[in-house]
Amino acid sequence: QGQGQGQGRTAPPSDTDPTSTGTCPDLHPYYREFDLDVFPTLLSCQLKSLTSDLSEPILTSDLCDTPLTLDPPQLELLLLDLSRKLQHSLIASCQKRNFFFKAKSPVGFTHLDLTPPSDVARKVARLLPHLCNHGDTCTAHFTSALEHNDGVVDAPHSAVVASCLHLILQILHHYFSWNGFVYREHRDLLASSLRTLASRHTSSEHSSSPHDISQLPVSDVYLYLHSLSTHLPNIHCAATMLKLLVTLNHRTNSSTLSSDISGMCKSFLTRDWYSPSGVKDKGTKYNEYLHTILDLHISLSKEPMSVISDVSAACVQLLDPDTIDHPYTTLSKSTFGVYFKVLCSQVVVGVKHITTYRNQLSIEECMDVMCVWNTAVKNFHSLVNLIKQFDARPNIITLLKVLTRINTPLPPPSHPLPLTPPTQSNP
């Protein structure tokens, strides 16, 4: 702890405040570096029963008969270290590179830098069954807590278990975001990893070719992750789950996964999220996660303009004091700014994606384009009417930015559309 204070990481501890000590993230650079080869042995240990007292000592006579277990804080430490390793070694973007000559290199990855990223990915692939086991254990804990505590997660060690579940999802996100999966030589590793996750939902063997992206078991992977999403403890885990699904969607080019992710986003938006203290969650971080979920819900839907109309209608219900319930439980007067900002940005994206008139379009296709334009104009009018009631300064600035971004002139069509249906002339 003294070394951490020397680096200016933590404040000097107080004798009267027992909580003012160095935390694991603060002291992480001064820990001995874990080797990747020890994680299969450590993570293969089961999580200790959360209903028992974690501080209860084990008798010496029972050590031979008692299987090795991990306490939730110990599992959290291992998962945090593994997440840091993957974030450092498995680069997600092709533009991002780890250069040898750097002014400031991360501390604590000296031995890891000697291992190629492809070898790191293969070692992590062998850890996927253990990670899934711990993820199922954490989910079972929250399922049992909700059933026995009238829908309130107030069981002991729930905060640490929630952190473990979030770290597991984060590790999976770092792993599947690795840019090496875009190369053909690593396609078999991606297929094997997806089969490992799919086997958690079904016991059938997938005999798809590793190089055939369309035959990868993406639907079973989604069903497995969907089973984990039903009892997520906080919105932080929900946002990480969606990022993982979006990454899998990009890796596999699935045609049906986008709509499934949008449906999961809607289920998260219609759920009440609570903080560890038992009150409804709020704050800056909560708004950031809510922004991410709502943005994915609209952008990944089949008809974004129709979804914007539905969400705008729910925002209008906030103006009615007699309205008790509306479809989106996360929508309130305190979170209206987040909803309004996402709706405005998605209207701009939707307008720019509308197909403009071209010479090769038929009259029917032009009519479809005009219908989409009609919906976009209605959505924009709804947003303008909302700003008349919620006239906070950030909302006005958001709307002004939208006005400057909408700039999609329409070229004249090759055959002008009739304004009124043609009338039959009398003979």
Side-chain angles (χ1 to χ4, degrees):
Q1 182 180 353
Q3 293 175 347
Q5 296 169 9
Q7 296 292 331
R9 294 180 177 271
T10 57
S14 174
D15 297 336
T16 59
D17 187 8
T19 62
S20 60
T21 57
T23 59
C24 291
D26 297 325
L27 302 179
H28 179 268
Y30 307 102
Y31 293 156
R32 182 177 179 178
E33 184 179 358
F34 283 110
D35 192 270
L36 280 175
D37 295 330
V38 305
F39 280 94
T41 303
L42 296 177
L43 292 180
S44 62
C45 302
Q46 296 181 356
L47 189 62
K48 189 175 183 180
S49 177
L50 299 175
T51 58
S52 60
D53 188 6
L54 299 181
S55 61
E56 182 180 356
I58 300 177
L59 298 179
T60 307
S61 58
D62 298 337
L63 288 177
C64 297
D65 300 332
T66 304
L68 295 178
T69 57
L70 289 174
D71 293 340
Q74 296 173 348
L75 178 62
E76 182 186 19
L77 177 63
L78 292 175
L79 294 176
L80 179 61
D81 185 78
L82 181 59
S83 177
R84 289 175 179 271
K85 282 179 166 54
L86 298 188
Q87 187 178 9
H88 172 76
S89 180
L90 302 183
I91 307 302
S93 175
C94 294
Q95 287 77 17
K96 185 178 178 181
R97 293 289 185 270
N98 285 329
F99 294 99
F100 180 76
F101 296 101
K102 266 192 173 182
K104 293 182 180 179
S105 58
V107 181
F109 304 105
T110 305
H111 185 65
L112 180 65
D113 290 336
L114 302 177
T115 306
S118 58
D119 293 344
V120 174
R122 292 187 181 91
K123 292 181 180 181
V124 175
R126 293 193 290 267
L127 298 177
L128 292 181
H130 304 308
L131 294 175
C132 293
N133 290 334
H134 289 299
D136 294 340
T137 303
C138 296
T139 306
H141 166 74
F142 292 112
T143 303
S144 176
L146 291 173
E147 292 177 353
H148 294 84
N149 297 285
D150 298 330
V152 179
V153 182
D154 56 355
H157 320 294
S158 293
V160 182
V161 177
S163 177
C164 292
L165 181 58
H166 169 257
L167 287 172
I168 291 173
L169 296 175
Q170 194 174 50
I171 289 171
L172 294 177
H173 179 239
H174 290 328
Y175 173 68
F176 286 104
S177 299
W178 178 45
N179 59 7
F181 285 134
V182 301
Y183 301 107
R184 190 177 183 85
E185 57 267 20
H186 298 137
R187 183 61 60 181
D188 55 346
L189 181 61
L190 174 61
S192 175
S193 302
L194 291 176
R195 293 192 193 98
T196 302
L197 296 183
S199 63
R200 311 296 298 189
H201 176 260
T202 176
S203 58
S204 60
E205 293 293 334
H206 298 275
S207 58
S208 60
S209 174
H211 300 291
D212 191 359
I213 301 177
S214 61
Q215 297 298 326
L216 293 177
V218 184
S219 59
D220 292 331
V221 174
Y222 169 77
L223 292 176
Y224 168 66
L225 295 177
H226 184 269
S227 64
L228 298 180
S229 67
T230 53
H231 294 95
L232 291 180
N234 51 53
I235 196 173
H236 192 187
C237 293
T240 308
M241 171 77 75
L242 293 175
K243 292 178 181 179
L244 171 60
L245 287 172
V246 171
T247 301
L248 293 176
N249 188 25
H250 291 165
R251 287 284 177 259
T252 58
N253 298 325
S254 176
S255 58
T256 60
L257 191 57
S258 296
S259 58
D260 294 334
I261 298 175
S262 179
M264 183 183 291
C265 292
K266 186 174 182 179
S267 66
F268 290 154
L269 295 173
T270 56
R271 185 187 304 183
D272 291 326
W273 300 101
Y274 295 92
S275 63
S277 59
V279 298
K280 275 197 172 184
D281 206 351
K282 59 181 179 179
T284 305
K285 287 294 183 181
Y286 173 78
N287 292 338
E288 292 179 2
Y289 301 140
L290 186 61
H291 185 284
T292 301
I293 297 174
L294 181 59
D295 187 75
L296 291 175
H297 171 50
I298 298 176
S299 60
L300 296 179
S301 60
K302 294 182 179 179
E303 298 180 356
M305 287 297 174
S306 300
V307 177
I308 293 175
S309 301
D310 297 339
V311 178
S312 300
C315 294
V316 174
Q317 295 182 7
L318 292 177
L319 303 176
D320 189 1
D322 298 331
T323 303
I324 301 177
D325 297 328
H326 52 80
Y328 299 91
T329 56
T330 54
L331 174 60
S332 62
K333 292 185 178 180
S334 60
T335 60
F336 172 79
V338 179
Y339 271 76
F340 186 78
K341 186 175 183 179
V342 175
L343 291 176
C344 290
S345 62
Q346 286 299 324
V347 166
V348 175
V349 174
V351 167
K352 293 191 174 185
H353 284 175
I354 294 176
T355 306
T356 58
Y357 292 120
R358 292 177 184 172
N359 295 332
Q360 62 269 23
L361 291 182
S362 62
I363 295 180
E364 290 77 9
E365 292 174 339
C366 292
M367 292 299 296
D368 293 338
V369 171
M370 290 303 298
C371 290
V372 178
W373 267 108
N374 187 24
T375 307
V377 172
K378 288 182 179 179
N379 290 335
F380 184 75
H381 280 294
S382 300
L383 296 176
V384 172
N385 292 330
L386 286 173
I387 204 65
K388 295 178 182 178
Q389 301 297 329
F390 299 94
D391 54 352
R393 184 182 180 89
N395 298 335
I396 297 176
I397 294 175
T398 300
L399 188 61
L400 292 177
K401 289 181 179 180
V402 169
L403 294 175
T404 59
R405 291 174 59 187
I406 296 181
N407 184 17
T408 55
L410 291 177
S414 58
H415 33 260
L417 298 177
L419 298 179
T420 57
T423 58
Q424 295 181 356
S425 58
N426 296 327

